[in-house]
Amino acid sequence: MQHVYEKLGQFYLGRKVDLGSRSAGDDLVLYDSKDLTTHAVIIGMTGSGKTGLGIGLIEEALIDGVPVIAIDPKGDIPNLLLTFPDLSGERLLPWIDPREAAKEGLTPETYAAKQARIWQKGLESWHQDLDRIRRLRRSAEMLVYTPGSQAGLPVSVLRDLAPPSPEILGDADLFREQIEGTTRSLLGLVGVRGEAQQDREFVLVANILRNAWTGGRSLSLADLIRSIQKPPFEQIGVFDLESYYPAKERFELAIRLNNLLAAPGFEVWMQGEPLDVSRLLFSPSGKPRASIFTISHLSEPERMFFVSTLLNAVVSWVRAQPGTSSLRALLYMDEVFGYLPPTQNPPSKKPLLTLLKQARASGLGVVLSTQNPVDLDYKALSNTGTWFIGRLQTERDKQRVLEGLEGAAAGGQFDAGRTGQILAGLGKRVFYLHNVHEAEPVIFQTRWVMSYLSGPMTREQIRQLMQPLKQQLASQAPLRERRAPATLEASEVKEPPLPPSDVPVFFVPAVAGSSELTYWPALLGHVRVHYTSARYKVDAERELFLAFPLEDGPVPVRWDDPAVLRLSPNQLEEKGAVGARFSLLPPAARRKQSYRTWQRKLIRHVIQERPLVLLHAPAYKLTSRPDESEEAFRARLAHLVRERRDLEVEKLRTRYASKFASLRERLLRAEQAVQREQEQAAAAKVQTAVSFGTALLGAFLGRRRVTATAASRLGTALSRASRSRKQKMDVERAKQRLEELRSRLDALQQELEDKIAAVASKYDVQTVRVETVSIRPRSTGVALNLFGLGWLPYRKSPSSTWEPAF
Ligand SMILES: Nc1ncnc2c1ncn2[C@@H]1O[C@H](COP(=O)(O)OP(=O)(O)O)[C@@H](O)[C@H]1O
Ligand SMILES: [Mg+2]
């Protein structure tokens, strides 16, 4: 059954605490999810229940279809995967701590069974059941990434330093911030002090990044090392490079980075998915994800490097999102200590501040948790709309929080003395909630979480959790486009064979560290393709760099098997690598005439085989943008669907509001009538429960706090009413009238509920039809920029097969 708290756009956080009795009452605390777009902080000492609250928030977001990125410095957040619709001792057994069992003198089995019962009971006492856990699991996919380790899902942060989104490239300040942040965290990783603008290491690396990113190119670590030795520019400012930073000294920096590359275990940083925020938020089929990044196993500089890289990617993503007032995604950070300090300026600080300032309109809610308010940047605090304050450790922490609250109240009413008293008396899992969107603060106890809180997880446990998913994801991974030629001719020569004189020759650069290369000939074409479609409102240009292997056979060009090169034509080289060998040219490639035919065929290939493939959701008239990934499009679609859904629900509620209001008016009158008649009858006082809860009405109108017991009150009222049969006739009649109105109210509530449910299922993104659309260029839309013979480097793999070295 769906509970009253399970409402679209509302997060069920817990129950209101009565300050007098200091215990949680009946009033549920529901939080309007769009309030999170102005961000939240959770402050409280260790053990105050911050992580419990954070996990609760994440659960609520996911169950409502809002995706989450969680940064997890301590290892607690993967507990989200311990959400079992078939919660039992057996289920929990692998996740309990045997030492805890021993402490209680229990076998692990008995202890696990006991824990399962505790959890069941906890959930029940907060009006939750296993069905809700099932719903949570069904609504989202949960992934645990472990950067730099293979325990969880790998994520590659160093294979490619990818350029930020076009929106960032177009914003000079943000672009500079991203370059500086990346430079500093990279230098931090190799222990080079490159803090300040005036350090040459900093200036050089920043310039290399700017050079590549401005040109839209990713940079691998190997590329970066090469560029440090041989930068793609000759001047830095007014100085020439050599006098500013001589090659010999640059070499030392290159070595530092190279040591990183060569360090054992480093390859893990290069494997796995790239940090593509859209993919972190939605699966390819559009299912919302919780992407958890556990970093407890990393060293300090590694953590800083990873967190700031991730944050920069999020900033980049946020900038590319259109404005919205709904909550689009959640970024949760379980312990922000050291990442957003008041005075220092670590690489993570800028992007965090940018997110806190700018995320609002883009619908990203940032939730930061800390046990140490004194360590938090003041500006950041004053930018957040919601504060959850739990039990605090020291007087200094309390003072800091009070100052912050006073600032956040910004001239409004704020009673520091009283608030201080409240804060001093907060118990475990009890939080003072200040929300700028609400008239007054609320004290509440967090609801029981669905996730079994087993505490920080070991890497081995994470490995166990992620094993099935790893296999599944591996089978979904896109195939690499580069294939080695089917046959490499045995006869190799030391000098590249020459094509006819007026055919240009190019060498594709080999990746760093490749040795014993053999070059294989290919037909090279760099084209600029123009795609237009009035129907899908497309007018886009794309550059395409194709290499079609040449071989000695009836069809000398492998038209069906081109490699797509990820470089720009000016990165081609004029010679092959030193000591490399070259395969012979097939006879057709030695004839001038062949190239004329091939040029025509190449253009035909582009027209026929290289359409612009877009995704299109007809029901929403939404088409993917030319450079948008499937995930990004799905994310955009999911959000659009949510917005439409929210809008329609809002409309429904408004439409029903007046019906409810007039019915309520009549109910009140009928209640009064009953009372009057009873008094007049002066019969034995039959106490009919007339205080018909207006809160129940509120529940269906979508307001914030509702009473869970309002529904049962109705039941009592009815039974009491029926006991009063023996009363006078007019009392009877008045009561009948009352009953009738009540059942009409019930019916009306049911009707609204059904309609809302219908809207929710109509706007289910999982069922939205998405089709692919192929837009072919016209022949006039293909411009050939470069055409000629290209040499592609290959090397022998350890298993003696040939693999591309480009
Ligand atoms: N919402 C909750 N539901 C169930 N148990 C909770 C909840 N919040 C906290 N706890 C219990 O309290 C302990 C400490 O809370 P935790 O959230 O880890 O504190 P903090 O993150 O502030 O150090 C948890 O290990 C868990 O046993
Ligand atoms: Mg914690």
Side-chain angles (χ1 to χ4, degrees), residues 21 92 149 267 442 669 706:
S21 67
L92 293 191
S149 151
E267 67 282 354
V442 182
R669 274 205 301 273
V706 297

Side-chain angles (χ1 to χ4, degrees), residues 532-701:
T532 52
S533 160
R535 178 154 173 219
Y536 297 104
K537 298 195 185 61
V538 171
D539 186 351
E541 278 207 333
R542 276 228 176 131
E543 291 191 0
L544 202 55
F545 204 170
L546 300 170
F548 301 87
L550 292 169
E551 60 194 6
D552 195 4
V555 185
V557 183
R558 277 184 11 207
W559 292 111
D560 57 341
D561 187 26
V564 178
L565 303 181
R566 293 205 314 160
L567 35 89
S568 74
N570 59 22
Q571 287 174 298
L572 292 170
E573 291 169 352
E574 285 166 16
K575 311 194 283 268
V578 180
R581 306 180 67 83
F582 297 85
S583 163
L584 290 177
L585 277 181
R590 294 197 286 259
R591 286 194 297 272
K592 208 168 176 170
Q593 177 55 34
S594 308
Y595 290 85
R596 255 175 248 143
T597 328
W598 290 345
Q599 185 167 334
R600 276 200 307 278
K601 282 199 174 172
L602 190 144
I603 294 192
R604 203 159 68 217
H605 167 91
V606 173
I607 293 171
Q608 287 175 350
E609 309 293 332
R610 300 282 156 178
L612 180 66
V613 180
L614 300 178
L615 295 168
H616 180 68
Y620 292 84
K621 293 200 174 60
L622 193 71
T623 311
S624 64
R625 299 188 195 107
D627 287 308
E628 193 173 36
S629 69
E630 168 155 13
E631 289 81 3
F633 171 72
R634 295 269 182 185
R636 205 151 59 87
L637 177 64
H639 191 69
L640 182 66
V641 174
R642 272 178 68 80
E643 274 183 337
R644 295 265 173 95
R645 182 198 74 181
D646 290 354
L647 206 70
E648 207 156 306
V649 169
E650 197 62 46
K651 260 199 236 151
L652 263 179
R653 289 197 171 126
T654 325
R655 187 132 49 79
Y656 274 76
S658 61
K659 292 188 192 182
F660 276 112
S662 79
L663 205 51
R664 197 182 102 197
E665 192 65 17
R666 290 165 68 187
L667 246 169
L668 278 175
R669 274 205 301 273
E671 283 180 348
Q672 284 160 1
V674 171
Q675 221 158 27
R676 216 168 35 239
E677 295 299 342
Q678 276 175 338
E679 278 161 16
Q680 282 170 5
K685 282 246 157 63
V686 177
Q687 195 195 19
T688 306
V690 287
S691 58
F692 193 83
T694 45
L696 184 61
L697 297 169
F700 292 96
L701 291 172

Side-chain angles (χ1 to χ4, degrees), residues 278-294:
S278 310
R279 284 177 73 114
L280 298 177
L281 296 175
F282 288 95
S283 77
S285 65
K287 200 170 191 171
R289 282 178 163 168
S291 288
I292 303 160
F293 293 91
T294 294

Side-chain angles (χ1 to χ4, degrees), residues 109-253:
E109 286 77 11
T110 351
Y111 180 78
K114 188 179 153 202
Q115 288 295 98
R117 275 197 305 278
I118 292 177
W119 228 257
Q120 280 254 7
K121 268 188 64 193
L123 287 171
E124 267 163 39
S125 60
W126 293 83
H127 312 294
Q128 302 174 96
D129 51 20
L130 296 180
D131 209 36
R132 188 164 202 238
I133 299 187
R134 193 165 300 118
R135 231 170 313 128
L136 170 65
R137 289 313 292 245
R138 236 187 274 132
S139 29
E141 210 172 86
M142 301 174 193
L143 312 172
V144 184
Y145 291 92
T146 45
S149 151
Q150 275 177 329
L153 303 174
V155 52
S156 81
V157 261
L158 276 171
R159 188 168 54 207
D160 275 323
L161 300 164
S165 61
E167 287 76 12
I168 298 276
L169 289 171
D171 181 323
D173 286 340
L174 280 179
F175 187 38
R176 185 171 33 78
E177 277 175 20
Q178 292 236 341
I179 291 174
E180 291 179 0
T182 307
T183 306
R184 280 172 43 216
S185 57
L186 256 176
L187 291 177
L189 201 56
V190 292
V192 171
R193 229 183 47 89
E195 290 282 309
Q197 312 279 9
Q198 48 274 36
D199 289 321
R200 327 183 274 188
E201 293 87 349
F202 178 93
V203 174
L204 177 65
V205 172
N207 271 297
I208 291 171
L209 283 176
R210 179 180 290 276
N211 182 278
W213 287 354
T214 317
R217 286 189 306 280
S218 294
L219 218 53
S220 68
L221 198 54
D223 292 335
L224 178 65
I225 295 171
R226 238 177 300 145
S227 298
I228 288 173
Q229 289 178 267
K230 227 178 108 193
F233 39 80
E234 262 140 36
Q235 283 216 304
I236 287 190
V238 294
F239 288 103
D240 74 84
L241 180 71
E242 276 314 305
S243 47
Y244 179 77
Y245 197 167
K248 226 175 95 205
E249 291 159 41
R250 289 201 311 271
F251 186 66
E252 283 162 27
L253 178 60

